[in-house]
Amino acid sequence: MIKIQNLSKTYRKSNVRALDNVSLTIGRGIFGLLGNNGAGKTTLMNILTTLVDFTQGEVYIKGIPLAPKNYMLLRKMIGYMPQEAGGYPNLSVRDTLDYFGILNGLTAGERKNRVSELLNYLNLEKHADKKFKNLSGGMKRRLSLGIALISDPEILIADEPTTGVDPSERIKMRNLLLKLGEDKTVILSTHIIEDVSYTCEKLAILCEGKKKYEGDIEELMERASEKIWEIEVKDEKRLKQILEGNLVAGIERGQGKSAVKIISSQKPYNDAVPAAPTLEDAYIAVERVW
Amino acid sequence: MSTYRLILSLFGKELKNIFKYPFTYVFMLLLAIIIWDTSTQVFQKFYATQEAYEKEFLGYIPYQEFQSMSEQAFLKRYARQRINQGEAVARIYEDRMSNEERGRLFSAEDKTNSNFGELYETYCRRHKIIDYGFMNYEQIKALSKEAYEKISHSLYVPMHSKKNFYFGDSNERLRYYPTYEQAKALMKLENLSSAIAREYYFRIMKVLAIIGTILIIGYWTRDYKNNVIKNIKASNIRSYQYIISKYLALTAVMLSTYFVLTMFSVFIFKPQYHHLAWAFEEVDFIKYFILLPFVTQCYLNALAMLVSIISKEIIFSTGFMFYYIFLFGQSTKFENEPSQWLIKSWKYFPRCGTKLGIMATEGTTMIVHQIGYFIITICILWLTVYIWQRNRTEGSG
């Protein structure tokens, strides 16, 4: 569906290389894009949504090259949910969706049907006449998803969709995305590992503009398992030494001892044993010791 | 959806959205106050009889009233007294000057180190002025009714103030004014309503420019302020469809509000002209609305939109537009004809004199000026679309 080859982006004014030779292949379903702040995720999202031009490389969306002459065609295929949920303060939820329906070329009849479908799908029916300024953070996020879906695009790009929302809204958003992933290509850009582990089968990890990993979550965990170690420590002095000299992923305390999880490419201590990694451990391993 | 239908749909939606933007109501309220205030100044009475005209507009005191006035009361009303050896005297003459000649003479009189004496003598030689010399109160009082009426022009000078465009009790005097006979002749040149319409729109246009600009900039920059710009840019609307629809909706709301409010005032004030032989027709207001604020506001709206899109924020855009409005909107007067205004191509505001019949000489210049600005407006719209399109993809081009 989306093929990215050797993609690079350098911002002219700041001379920052936001993406460095990134290649990815994204198929149907939900594809996670993990990375810290400043890893280049938003730049990649902006390139795919035609908001930012790239410096080098090639991008094909359903075989169509991402180039200015194809922008209008590609915009019809892509729905974009930006990092910050925006809307006109005095416009209601219904009016906001209707407005973006017009911007996406829907006729009055199409808009009417699509807006009610989306209100139902996003569970915003009760709040349809509420003004944007009176919505909660989670509702604004759902409305933002609605705006992205108004033209029923084949590809949905969601940039940090769960940032800043409460746990129940986060679960709602994940479920919505899971449902969408059944028949669309969804690119989920986030730094919240839990979101990826819950929704994605495939992911890519970006770090300082470079791709550090691309593939299945299972494969990532398998490869990471070679780098995650656990050591039981009873002596506080030793514990202090371990904490200072290693990349520690977590500590579990209890019964007068501490189980310390260490990320290391080699066995760090003789008494360290391999440990089952979580996705978070794997992500840190990729980012720091891969 | 076809381009035409999409523009129409978005235009309709933007119209609704504008009415959900709180500043729209502030704009309407301010405009209503300004229009009403201007209307009360501009729609002054024109007097049907010579006596009423001279008394109410030119400030003359009828002979009988003058005879019963005390010296003190007379001197309060007499604007051009001189003190000669401790006694108030007046330069008395018969006024046969044209409006322009009168204006030139009064302008010279108001200036120090001017050629007033020379000009006065020149007019005397040309019999534009019949000089009676200096007279004191008693001497004036001794004049016959016929003689008094002949020299009234030299005694009283119409005053104008902000509260009363044609006549008032301000200390600033009106240099240019027609005598009754001259006013009658001028009224044959065009409708009274034409002259009023010109002055009416000249006065409101500048205020509309200021508050209209705030509305335009506020409305455009809210796309950036409210974080909706990314969604708009990522949608599949074409740049020109978006710019044109929004521009047309904003301009339509602004101009229709303006038109309705000004015409409402016209209808309110119209009855006071019913008894006059001088024509007062609403169509003159429509004609001048199209010629003046319609063109100028379309231009300013396009410019404000362009500046908002380039700067993306409200402070710089407003500052720039205010600077432009005040600097390039300032009307310029002719040095030797203070009642005349210059229409300059680099000034968006085509100010010409309020005098009746002035369009016979200034009409073509004004129409050419406005056509020029209409073409510039189209160019600005094209440039705005181009810049928005370039900015749509950051780092392109």
PDB file of all heavy atoms in Angstrom, chain B residues 92-104:
ATOM      1  N   ILE B  92     -16.895  95.693   4.983  1.00  0.00           N
ATOM      2  CA  ILE B  92     -18.205  95.490   4.366  1.00  0.00           C
ATOM      3  C   ILE B  92     -18.062  95.508   2.834  1.00  0.00           C
ATOM      4  O   ILE B  92     -17.402  96.383   2.279  1.00  0.00           O
ATOM      5  CB  ILE B  92     -19.187  96.595   4.819  1.00  0.00           C
ATOM      6  CG1 ILE B  92     -19.343  96.595   6.351  1.00  0.00           C
ATOM      7  CG2 ILE B  92     -20.556  96.440   4.152  1.00  0.00           C
ATOM      8  CD1 ILE B  92     -19.889  95.309   6.918  1.00  0.00           C
ATOM      9  N   TYR B  93     -18.684  94.491   2.226  1.00  0.00           N
ATOM     10  CA  TYR B  93     -18.638  94.424   0.754  1.00  0.00           C
ATOM     11  C   TYR B  93     -19.791  93.572   0.240  1.00  0.00           C
ATOM     12  O   TYR B  93     -20.380  92.779   0.990  1.00  0.00           O
ATOM     13  CB  TYR B  93     -17.302  93.849   0.277  1.00  0.00           C
ATOM     14  CG  TYR B  93     -16.987  92.480   0.808  1.00  0.00           C
ATOM     15  CD1 TYR B  93     -17.454  91.326   0.165  1.00  0.00           C
ATOM     16  CD2 TYR B  93     -16.230  92.312   1.963  1.00  0.00           C
ATOM     17  CE1 TYR B  93     -17.165  90.075   0.659  1.00  0.00           C
ATOM     18  CE2 TYR B  93     -15.941  91.067   2.465  1.00  0.00           C
ATOM     19  CZ  TYR B  93     -16.412  89.947   1.798  1.00  0.00           C
ATOM     20  OH  TYR B  93     -16.142  88.691   2.292  1.00  0.00           O
ATOM     21  N   GLU B  94     -20.041  93.752  -1.016  1.00  0.00           N
ATOM     22  CA  GLU B  94     -21.025  92.904  -1.692  1.00  0.00           C
ATOM     23  C   GLU B  94     -20.281  91.724  -2.299  1.00  0.00           C
ATOM     24  O   GLU B  94     -19.229  91.922  -2.915  1.00  0.00           O
ATOM     25  CB  GLU B  94     -21.660  93.698  -2.837  1.00  0.00           C
ATOM     26  CG  GLU B  94     -23.051  94.193  -2.539  1.00  0.00           C
ATOM     27  CD  GLU B  94     -23.621  94.882  -3.771  1.00  0.00           C
ATOM     28  OE1 GLU B  94     -23.914  94.198  -4.773  1.00  0.00           O
ATOM     29  OE2 GLU B  94     -23.742  96.108  -3.709  1.00  0.00           O
ATOM     30  N   ASP B  95     -20.796  90.563  -2.081  1.00  0.00           N
ATOM     31  CA  ASP B  95     -20.101  89.348  -2.526  1.00  0.00           C
ATOM     32  C   ASP B  95     -20.672  88.880  -3.868  1.00  0.00           C
ATOM     33  O   ASP B  95     -21.818  88.464  -3.952  1.00  0.00           O
ATOM     34  CB  ASP B  95     -20.273  88.258  -1.455  1.00  0.00           C
ATOM     35  CG  ASP B  95     -19.570  86.970  -1.813  1.00  0.00           C
ATOM     36  OD1 ASP B  95     -19.160  86.810  -2.973  1.00  0.00           O
ATOM     37  OD2 ASP B  95     -19.426  86.123  -0.917  1.00  0.00           O
ATOM     38  N   ARG B  96     -19.843  88.977  -4.901  1.00  0.00           N
ATOM     39  CA  ARG B  96     -20.269  88.460  -6.211  1.00  0.00           C
ATOM     40  C   ARG B  96     -19.320  87.347  -6.664  1.00  0.00           C
ATOM     41  O   ARG B  96     -19.225  87.038  -7.848  1.00  0.00           O
ATOM     42  CB  ARG B  96     -20.268  89.588  -7.239  1.00  0.00           C
ATOM     43  CG  ARG B  96     -21.327  90.628  -6.947  1.00  0.00           C
ATOM     44  CD  ARG B  96     -21.260  91.743  -7.956  1.00  0.00           C
ATOM     45  NE  ARG B  96     -22.257  92.755  -7.679  1.00  0.00           N
ATOM     46  CZ  ARG B  96     -22.401  93.843  -8.421  1.00  0.00           C
ATOM     47  NH1 ARG B  96     -21.621  94.057  -9.457  1.00  0.00           N
ATOM     48  NH2 ARG B  96     -23.334  94.725  -8.117  1.00  0.00           N
ATOM     49  N   MET B  97     -18.592  86.829  -5.671  1.00  0.00           N
ATOM     50  CA  MET B  97     -17.564  85.824  -5.988  1.00  0.00           C
ATOM     51  C   MET B  97     -18.192  84.444  -6.255  1.00  0.00           C
ATOM     52  O   MET B  97     -19.282  84.145  -5.772  1.00  0.00           O
ATOM     53  CB  MET B  97     -16.587  85.687  -4.809  1.00  0.00           C
ATOM     54  CG  MET B  97     -15.722  86.899  -4.588  1.00  0.00           C
ATOM     55  SD  MET B  97     -14.675  86.711  -3.136  1.00  0.00           S
ATOM     56  CE  MET B  97     -15.823  87.014  -1.805  1.00  0.00           C
ATOM     57  N   SER B  98     -17.423  83.650  -6.992  1.00  0.00           N
ATOM     58  CA  SER B  98     -17.839  82.248  -7.148  1.00  0.00           C
ATOM     59  C   SER B  98     -17.422  81.514  -5.874  1.00  0.00           C
ATOM     60  O   SER B  98     -16.662  82.050  -5.055  1.00  0.00           O
ATOM     61  CB  SER B  98     -17.145  81.608  -8.357  1.00  0.00           C
ATOM     62  OG  SER B  98     -15.772  81.473  -8.079  1.00  0.00           O
ATOM     63  N   ASN B  99     -17.900  80.296  -5.773  1.00  0.00           N
ATOM     64  CA  ASN B  99     -17.569  79.466  -4.611  1.00  0.00           C
ATOM     65  C   ASN B  99     -16.054  79.330  -4.438  1.00  0.00           C
ATOM     66  O   ASN B  99     -15.510  79.480  -3.335  1.00  0.00           O
ATOM     67  CB  ASN B  99     -18.198  78.085  -4.837  1.00  0.00           C
ATOM     68  CG  ASN B  99     -18.427  77.349  -3.544  1.00  0.00           C
ATOM     69  OD1 ASN B  99     -18.001  77.797  -2.497  1.00  0.00           O
ATOM     70  ND2 ASN B  99     -19.108  76.228  -3.628  1.00  0.00           N
ATOM     71  N   GLU B 100     -15.354  79.094  -5.554  1.00  0.00           N
ATOM     72  CA  GLU B 100     -13.902  78.882  -5.512  1.00  0.00           C
ATOM     73  C   GLU B 100     -13.183  80.166  -5.123  1.00  0.00           C
ATOM     74  O   GLU B 100     -12.241  80.154  -4.325  1.00  0.00           O
ATOM     75  CB  GLU B 100     -13.369  78.390  -6.872  1.00  0.00           C
ATOM     76  CG  GLU B 100     -13.665  76.935  -7.179  1.00  0.00           C
ATOM     77  CD  GLU B 100     -15.140  76.677  -7.418  1.00  0.00           C
ATOM     78  OE1 GLU B 100     -15.839  77.598  -7.918  1.00  0.00           O
ATOM     79  OE2 GLU B 100     -15.613  75.576  -7.077  1.00  0.00           O
ATOM     80  N   GLU B 101     -13.638  81.289  -5.713  1.00  0.00           N
ATOM     81  CA  GLU B 101     -12.992  82.574  -5.410  1.00  0.00           C
ATOM     82  C   GLU B 101     -13.174  82.922  -3.926  1.00  0.00           C
ATOM     83  O   GLU B 101     -12.241  83.389  -3.265  1.00  0.00           O
ATOM     84  CB  GLU B 101     -13.591  83.676  -6.285  1.00  0.00           C
ATOM     85  CG  GLU B 101     -13.155  83.562  -7.736  1.00  0.00           C
ATOM     86  CD  GLU B 101     -14.026  84.382  -8.687  1.00  0.00           C
ATOM     87  OE1 GLU B 101     -15.179  84.723  -8.327  1.00  0.00           O
ATOM     88  OE2 GLU B 101     -13.550  84.649  -9.798  1.00  0.00           O
ATOM     89  N   ARG B 102     -14.355  82.634  -3.442  1.00  0.00           N
ATOM     90  CA  ARG B 102     -14.641  82.907  -2.037  1.00  0.00           C
ATOM     91  C   ARG B 102     -13.732  82.050  -1.141  1.00  0.00           C
ATOM     92  O   ARG B 102     -13.149  82.518  -0.170  1.00  0.00           O
ATOM     93  CB  ARG B 102     -16.114  82.577  -1.742  1.00  0.00           C
ATOM     94  CG  ARG B 102     -16.587  83.022  -0.365  1.00  0.00           C
ATOM     95  CD  ARG B 102     -18.054  82.707  -0.175  1.00  0.00           C
ATOM     96  NE  ARG B 102     -18.895  83.387  -1.164  1.00  0.00           N
ATOM     97  CZ  ARG B 102     -19.605  82.784  -2.096  1.00  0.00           C
ATOM     98  NH1 ARG B 102     -19.603  81.467  -2.191  1.00  0.00           N
ATOM     99  NH2 ARG B 102     -20.315  83.463  -2.966  1.00  0.00           N
ATOM    100  N   GLY B 103     -13.602  80.806  -1.545  1.00  0.00           N
ATOM    101  CA  GLY B 103     -12.747  79.892  -0.774  1.00  0.00           C
ATOM    102  C   GLY B 103     -11.314  80.374  -0.744  1.00  0.00           C
ATOM    103  O   GLY B 103     -10.655  80.350   0.290  1.00  0.00           O
ATOM    104  N   ARG B 104     -10.823  80.840  -1.901  1.00  0.00           N
ATOM    105  CA  ARG B 104      -9.440  81.308  -2.001  1.00  0.00           C
ATOM    106  C   ARG B 104      -9.226  82.546  -1.125  1.00  0.00           C
ATOM    107  O   ARG B 104      -8.229  82.662  -0.431  1.00  0.00           O
ATOM    108  CB  ARG B 104      -9.118  81.639  -3.465  1.00  0.00           C
ATOM    109  CG  ARG B 104      -7.937  80.823  -3.994  1.00  0.00           C
ATOM    110  CD  ARG B 104      -7.794  80.985  -5.468  1.00  0.00           C
ATOM    111  NE  ARG B 104      -8.805  80.166  -6.137  1.00  0.00           N
ATOM    112  CZ  ARG B 104      -9.257  80.328  -7.365  1.00  0.00           C
ATOM    113  NH1 ARG B 104      -8.820  81.261  -8.096  1.00  0.00           N
ATOM    114  NH2 ARG B 104     -10.158  79.555  -7.881  1.00  0.00           N
TER     115      ARG B 104
END
